[in-house]
Amino acid sequence: MRKKIVAGNWKMNLSLEEAKTLAGELKVKMDQYKDTILEGSGNNIPEVVIFPPYLYLTGMIDLFVHDDGVSVGAQNCHHEESGAFTGEVAASMIHSVGASYVIIGHSERRSQFGEGDKLLAEKVKLALKNGLTPVFCCGEQLPEREAGKHFQVVADQLLHGVLWMEKDQLERVVIAYEPVWAIGTGKTASPDQAQEMHAHIRKLIRDSYGEQIAENISILYGGSCNAKNAGELFSNPDVDGGLIGGASLKVEDFFTIIKRRQENG
Ligand code: PGA
C-alpha cells in the first residue's frame, strides 16, 4: 500500500528560534496525537516530513527521533557529487546528517534558478544513489492550462525527470503535482482538477512500469493546500497527501492538515 504523506516546505522562512518553536510545538502535537490514534482503531497516521532550510537540518533531525513519525528533508541538492561549487550542498551531505528526503524540481527552482529537465534528472540520480527519497515536483503554468496543454506539460516533466529510470529506482520516488498558478497564490486546484491530474500521472507510470508500481507510488498535491481545503483534496483516490508551503509555517494549520489526511484513510 502506498504511503500517505504530509510534507511541510518551509522555503526560506523562519529564524532558528522560530524554527525551533514551530518544530517543538509540532513534536508535542504529534506525540499526543499518536497516543490517541494508537489507542483507537486506526494505525493510518500519515508520514510527516518537514523541509527546513539546510542550516536547520541537523537541529531538526536531533529533535525528531524516529518515534515521532516526523522525517526531515532538504529543499534542494546540487547536481554534482562534490567539488568546487561554492555555496552548494551535495546529496551525500544531506544524507550524512540523517535527512531522508529531498525536494527536486520545485517550480521556484525551475523558474527562479533556471533548473531544467537534464539537470533535475542528475539531481534525482544523485539523491537515489545517496539513499535519499526524492520528492519530484511537476506542474503547469497558468497559460499552459488555459491552452489545454497541462497534461502534456506534466507528462514531459515526468518523462525527463523520473520516468527514464529502472523500476526499483522509481519505487523510491515520491511525486508532487504542484500547479504553478496555485503555489502561494491562495488559488487551489479544485479537488476534481487535482484528481484528474493525479490519475493521469498514475496512468503514465502504469503504462510504462505496470500496475503494481503505479499503485505503490505516492503522489502529493501542492499549491495553496490549507486546513480548510485539505480534507476535500485528500478524499480523492489518487491524492496521497500534500506538499504544503505557507500553511506548514503555522502549527495549528499544519496539524489540521495532518489530521485531515489521517481521517481520509
Ligand atoms: P503553498 O506552497 O502551499 O504556499 O502554495 C506549496 C509549495 O510550494 O510547495
Side-chain angles (χ1 to χ4, degrees):
M1 214 176 73
R2 54 189 184 253
K3 270 195 204 170
K4 308 292 179 178
I5 301 171
V6 176
N9 176 9
W10 292 1
K11 307 191 182 183
M12 198 174 74
N13 291 300
L14 308 178
S15 67
L16 177 58
E17 279 316 304
E18 290 165 340
K20 278 184 183 164
T21 304
L22 175 61
E25 288 172 358
L26 179 63
K27 183 181 163 67
V28 171
K29 282 189 177 293
M30 286 302 292
D31 282 346
Q32 291 167 348
Y33 183 53
K34 279 182 71 182
D35 289 346
T36 338
I37 296 290
L38 293 177
E39 272 170 22
S41 55
N43 57 357
N44 58 341
I45 298 183
E47 177 161 355
V48 176
V49 190
I50 54 166
F51 291 92
Y54 288 135
L55 270 178
Y56 308 155
L57 281 176
T58 49
M60 296 302 132
I61 288 160
D62 290 346
L63 185 74
F64 290 108
V65 289
H66 191 65
D67 258 11
D68 290 320
V70 178
S71 305
V72 179
Q75 297 172 16
N76 183 31
C77 67
H78 196 257
H79 60 279
E80 296 277 353
E81 199 93 55
S82 64
F85 302 102
T86 303
E88 291 294 331
V89 175
S92 59
M93 297 170 182
I94 295 165
H95 183 256
S96 74
V97 298
S100 38
Y101 285 83
V102 61
I103 297 175
I104 292 176
H106 190 281
S107 75
E108 286 149 19
R109 301 292 319 172
R110 291 179 192 262
S111 65
Q112 297 172 29
F113 300 90
E115 297 190 357
D117 290 335
K118 202 162 163 270
L119 179 121
L120 294 174
E122 292 304 315
K123 291 188 183 207
V124 171
K125 258 185 227 166
L126 280 176
L128 289 171
K129 185 175 168 203
N130 287 286
L132 297 170
T133 299
V135 177
F136 185 81
C137 301
C138 56
E140 80 285 357
Q141 316 249 3
L142 188 57
E144 292 166 335
R145 176 165 280 268
E146 286 171 345
K149 293 184 182 152
H150 44 298
F151 291 119
Q152 192 54 49
V153 167
V154 167
D156 286 345
Q157 289 170 338
L158 290 170
L159 284 173
H160 292 113
V162 291
L163 296 184
W164 47 266
M165 57 179 64
E166 298 293 327
K167 209 171 181 169
D168 62 326
Q169 292 176 302
L170 189 65
E171 274 167 351
R172 294 166 49 208
V173 172
V174 171
I175 291 169
Y177 168 57
E178 299 204 301
V180 180
W181 47 270
I183 297 178
T185 58
K187 235 182 133 194
T188 320
S190 70
D192 287 350
Q193 285 173 324
Q195 169 57 27
E196 68 172 356
M197 184 59 87
H198 284 228
H200 170 66
I201 294 170
R202 210 175 294 288
K203 181 175 184 313
L204 288 171
I205 299 168
R206 187 180 296 118
D207 290 348
S208 308
Y209 293 87
E211 183 66 28
Q212 201 193 342
I213 177 159
E215 280 306 309
N216 285 341
I217 287 208
S218 300
I219 308 174
L220 314 184
Y221 169 81
S224 297
C225 179
N226 59 37
K228 285 208 180 95
N229 59 31
E232 237 193 313
L233 285 161
F234 297 162
S235 66
N236 286 296
D238 287 298
V239 179
D240 301 312
L243 180 54
I244 320 296
S248 71
L249 300 172
K250 296 176 214 134
V251 75
E252 285 298 340
D253 289 6
F254 191 54
F255 188 62
T256 301
I257 296 171
I258 295 167
K259 283 198 288 191
R260 296 291 170 267
R261 178 57 279 177
Q262 188 259 329
E263 289 159 5
N264 278 282

